[in-house]
Amino acid sequence: MRRCRLPRLHCALCGLLPLRARRGLLALPRMHAAGTFFRMSLFETKAKILPEAVDAIDDVLLELGVEGWSLLQDVIIRRAWLVGIFPSAAEAQARWAELRPLLSAAGIALAGEPEVRALADQDWRDSYKAHFKASRFGRLHWVPVWEREKFQLGTGEVVIWLDPGLAFGTGNHETTRLCCERLVTLAEQAGDRVAGLRVIDAGCGSGILALSAAKLGFQRVEGFDNDPEAVRVSEENAALNDLTGSVRFFTGDLVSGLAGQQANVLLANIQADVLMRFVRELTTAVAPGGALVLSGILAIELERVREVFTAAVPAWTVQSRVMGEWSDLALTKPV
C-alpha cells in the first residue's frame, strides 16, 4: 500500500503504523476453511534485525510497495525479526535478494544473514506461537486463541482472543499497552456507570482496543480507520470474540470520523505529528468530564505534544507516562 496523504491513522494493536497493520502482524497465507487450517509446504525467510531499525525497515516496505514481508517485534525482550513466508525455497531466496539492496540503499544495517527453513509437515501457525504471549491488564486478558481450551479466567475477568491468522498481532507494543491500561482504569473508575459511557477508538487498526472496551463493559463503542482493510479485519476479530454487532466499525479519518461526535472516552493511538495537527478535532470530540487518551508518541516528543494540547485546552487536567521509548498523554475535560 502506498503512503496516503490523508491523516495517517494508527494500528492500535501493534505500534506506530500509518494506514496499515504491518508491524507485529504476520503476512501469512490465509489457507483456511470453516476454521480448519491446512498443512502445506512453505518456506520461511527470517532475519534478525536491530529493534531500532524497525521503523526504518517498515518505511522502506511501505514506500516502495514491497509485499510479502512482516515485521515481528517483541518490545519486552527488545528483539525484532524481518519475516517472509514463500511457497518455495527458491522464491524465498530470490525475494531476499531483491529486498536486501533496497535496505542497504536506505542505510539500514542488518544483524545478520537470514535463515531459510521449510515449514512443511506442520501447521504454519505453529512456528509463530513463540511470538504471541498472553498479556494481562487488571481484569482484562489478551490471550492467543490456541490457548482457549486451557486458559482459565478468574471471577470477574474477561478475555480478548488473539488470532495471528486474522492479523490480530501480539498486542505487546508499548503504545497499545499504554492505551489499554488507561482504558482499564477508566472502566474501573466508572463502576456501574460504565455501560452508559461512549468509547471511540480513532484509528482502530485491527480493533483490539475497541473490542477490549466492549469486554470491559462499555456498551456504546465505535472504532474507525481510514483503511477499509483495517475495518474488515476489526469486524473479523469481533466475530472471533463473540462481539459481532457490539462494536460499530466504519471507515473514516479524523475529520469525518469525529465530525459531530462526542465520546466519554476517546482513544487516539496515532503518531505525534498527526495528533498535533488535529488537536481541534480530537478535543472537540470529548464530552464534558470525558477523557482523551493519546499515544503513539515517542518519549522524546512528549513535551512538545503536551505543549500543543495544553495550549489548546488549558483548563483540562493532564497526565502522562513513559514506557520504554514511547509515552502517552491522558487529558480530562472539565464537567
Side-chain angles (χ1 to χ4, degrees), residues 36 58 60 62 75 101 103 156 185 214 216 220 231 233 265 272 274 289-290 300 313 324 328:
T36 300
D58 198 45
V60 169
L62 178 67
V75 298
L103 299 178
T185 298
L216 288 168
R220 303 169 60 200
V231 174
V233 169
V265 179
V274 176
I300 58 175
V313 287
D328 73 354

Side-chain angles (χ1 to χ4, degrees), residues 60-279:
V60 169
L61 297 178
L62 178 67
E63 294 289 358
L64 299 180
V66 179
E67 300 294 339
W69 297 93
S70 296
L71 287 164
L72 294 174
Q73 183 178 25
D74 190 323
V75 298
I76 298 173
I77 64 173
R78 291 193 56 76
R79 297 179 66 189
W81 303 264
L82 178 61
V83 180
I85 304 293
F86 304 101
S88 69
E91 182 172 346
Q93 293 167 347
R95 293 295 299 277
W96 174 252
E98 294 172 355
L99 179 59
R100 181 168 184 173
L102 299 178
L103 299 178
S104 297
I108 298 170
L110 299 170
E113 287 298 310
E115 297 180 358
V116 178
R117 67 187 184 100
L119 298 180
D121 300 322
Q122 65 176 350
D123 184 324
W124 52 261
R125 289 205 291 179
D126 287 347
S127 64
Y128 289 91
K129 289 184 178 179
H131 301 291
F132 293 83
K133 302 297 184 182
S135 298
R136 181 175 183 175
F137 308 87
R139 68 186 188 91
L140 172 67
H141 298 262
W142 289 348
V143 183
V145 70
W146 54 78
E147 296 184 13
R148 186 192 289 264
E149 292 185 2
K150 65 179 181 180
F151 188 78
Q152 297 293 320
L153 280 176
T155 303
E157 295 179 346
V158 292
V159 63
I160 290 290
W161 302 110
L162 312 179
D163 185 350
L166 294 180
F168 216 164
T170 62
N172 69 353
H173 196 273
E174 292 101 324
T175 59
T176 313
R177 300 177 73 88
L178 286 165
C179 281
C180 189
E181 289 175 2
R182 294 282 186 191
L183 184 61
V184 170
T185 298
L186 290 166
E188 292 175 349
Q189 292 173 346
D192 294 339
R193 299 182 299 107
V194 67
L197 300 182
R198 185 182 185 192
V199 177
I200 298 178
D201 183 9
C204 61
S206 50
I208 192 170
L209 290 175
L211 296 174
S212 294
K215 286 285 187 175
L216 288 168
F218 295 96
Q219 294 184 10
R220 303 169 60 200
V221 184
E222 299 173 71
F224 65 85
D225 202 292
N226 59 355
D227 182 357
E229 176 67 9
V231 174
R232 185 192 65 77
V233 169
S234 295
E235 291 172 343
E236 288 192 20
N237 290 324
L240 174 68
N241 285 278
D242 299 320
L243 289 172
T244 299
S246 297
V247 178
R248 175 181 172 243
F249 291 110
F250 62 97
T251 303
D253 56 33
L254 289 178
V255 176
S256 63
L258 295 176
Q261 308 294 333
Q262 281 208 322
N264 302 102
V265 179
L266 175 55
L267 305 169
N269 198 357
I270 303 170
Q271 63 193 65
D273 65 314
V274 176
L275 294 175
M276 292 186 288
R277 194 185 322 152
F278 292 91
V279 60

